[in-house]
Amino acid sequence: MLAGLGCAAMGLLLLVARGAEPGGIEEVWLLLGPPDLGAVDFPTLRRARLPVDALACPPEYCRNAVPDLVPPLLSVSGERLRGIVAEVAAEMPGTEPVFQARWAEEDRYVARSPWLRLPDTINVAIIGAGEERSTLALYSRSQVALHDLGGNRARLAQWLERIAAKARAP
């Protein structure tokens, strides 16, 4: 029994060590489906039943879901805000873009945890609020978890802080 546990632990360590390489831990998560969980429609969004997600959204925009955070109204155009979000995502370790809408201001990113490389999908929608004013909606959700221990909420808080700081910069 102890030898079996030792072999299982060694196998897990090997998977983790290989990471994104063929035969690594990311291939294990693929058994549960693609890491990109797909699009969401923010106005009709319903939150996950398990505590594996976080939402930052103006309450009037996300009518069917209670947000964890309310994003600020920023004095930048929607186009500029979308660029700022892309900059912030690029600065985050383990985060990569997986979808950019051509005709709408919606993007998706997949962020992976450092050690086990667990994938989370971050949906972004830019919301125009008049000339040179905009805000956004962010939804971060875990693919492989029964509880995210607040990780998605912390991620969105960090993103919003960085986005607001970049929007204030000249």
Side-chain angles (χ1 to χ4, degrees), residues 92-116:
M92 300 294 165
T95 302
E96 62 183 356
V98 292
F99 175 81
Q100 293 181 321
R102 189 176 205 171
W103 307 113
E105 292 187 295
E106 296 181 10
D107 301 316
R108 273 192 319 277
Y109 299 88
V110 168
R112 294 186 179 277
S113 63
W115 193 67
L116 289 177

Side-chain angles (χ1 to χ4, degrees), residues 1-8:
M1 166 114 161
L2 205 51
L5 286 175
C7 287

Side-chain angles (χ1 to χ4, degrees), residues 77-99:
S77 68
E79 181 181 351
R80 175 71 183 118
L81 181 54
R82 190 176 187 185
I84 290 170
V85 171
E87 289 173 24
V88 168
E91 294 169 1
M92 300 294 165
T95 302
E96 62 183 356
V98 292
F99 175 81

Side-chain angles (χ1 to χ4, degrees), residues 48 50-54 140-143 145-148 152:
L50 295 172
V52 295
D53 68 351
S140 182
R141 55 200 161 133
S142 300
Q143 178 199 35
L146 296 176
H147 199 300
D148 77 347
N152 283 304

Side-chain angles (χ1 to χ4, degrees), residues 1-2 8 11 17 23 30 32 35 46 48 61 65 84 92 100 106 112-113 119 121 125 127 130 134 150 155 159 162:
M1 166 114 161
L2 205 51
L30 284 174
L32 300 173
R46 298 224 185 254
Y61 190 71
I84 290 170
M92 300 294 165
Q100 293 181 321
E106 296 181 10
R112 294 186 179 277
S113 63
T121 300
I127 306 163
S134 58
R155 173 186 295 116
W159 281 40
R162 288 184 176 210

